[in-house]
Amino acid sequence: MLTVTNASGFGAGSAAFLPTDIAGIEIWLRSDLGITKDASDFVSSWADQSGNGRDFTQATNKPLWVDSLVNSHSGVRFDGTNDILMSASTGITMPIHVFTIFNAVSWVINEFVWWAGNTVTTGKDLIMQSSSPNYTSNDSVAQGNTVSLEVGTWGLIHQIFDNAGAFSTSLNDDADVGGSAENSAQEPDNWALGARFNLAWFSNVEIAEFVVYDAAITGADLTNLKTYFNSRYAIW
């Protein structure tokens, strides 16, 4: 087994900043850090860089690590058939802010980019919704506002679940917007990438970076984080 541990390649202007510089980080996955893969580049473990040890693993239906997918940076490709990476119970409490750098290889309604929940009816997620190329945040059965990201286009989706009456979805450098009333105060748990936790609704996506905070990310922190993402991936 090989493990990718390269911490270089931050891009101009971002070397002095990392997502861990912001308080409240709970999960940080980056595809050039902590990847354990076999000789064919299939990923068995994606190690959490936040310091909290929330690694995402898979023993059988493994996604593929692919080099130079976006602005010379790698990503992890989920095939939309059975690929998934999962993390055990996390104990993360709301509010949570989730940042996902990803690209859809194909788009199919109701497939999940990520999911966090205990049952199929109680969870929070990023889902392909309504019609291509739309994405929305789900909180159990309630849905937040929708953003559009074309198939084959890399982007940043920022989601807010604040347990205070509303949640939202924003794209790239767009301003955060208010969303629908939250349906459930259930804390997110049992995280999955590429599908729902019960091995359903698999998505054909590539993920380069995934960051979760249990605090509101606003002001200078949000600006610095978006600058960091764009300096690495040049997506807007």
Side-chain angles (χ1 to χ4, degrees), residues 157-193:
I157 287 186
H158 173 203
Q159 298 168 268
I160 300 172
F161 299 90
D162 64 9
N163 199 24
F167 61 110
S168 67
T169 315
S170 63
L171 178 66
N172 294 338
D173 200 28
D174 294 346
D176 293 332
V177 295
S180 304
E182 288 186 86
N183 184 66
S184 169
Q186 174 70 42
E187 304 293 353
D189 211 348
N190 298 315
W191 292 71
L193 297 178

Side-chain angles (χ1 to χ4, degrees), residues 41-56:
D41 289 336
F42 287 102
V43 177
S44 59
S45 178
W46 197 351
D48 176 21
Q49 303 298 306
S50 73
N52 295 309
R54 298 186 174 106
D55 300 345
F56 284 65

Side-chain angles (χ1 to χ4, degrees), residues 19-57:
T20 46
D21 293 335
I22 299 176
I25 192 166
E26 295 289 348
I27 298 171
W28 177 27
L29 305 178
R30 204 177 78 179
S31 58
D32 62 343
L33 297 171
I35 294 282
T36 299
K37 57 191 182 69
D38 62 22
S40 298
D41 289 336
F42 287 102
V43 177
S44 59
S45 178
W46 197 351
D48 176 21
Q49 303 298 306
S50 73
N52 295 309
R54 298 186 174 106
D55 300 345
F56 284 65
T57 61

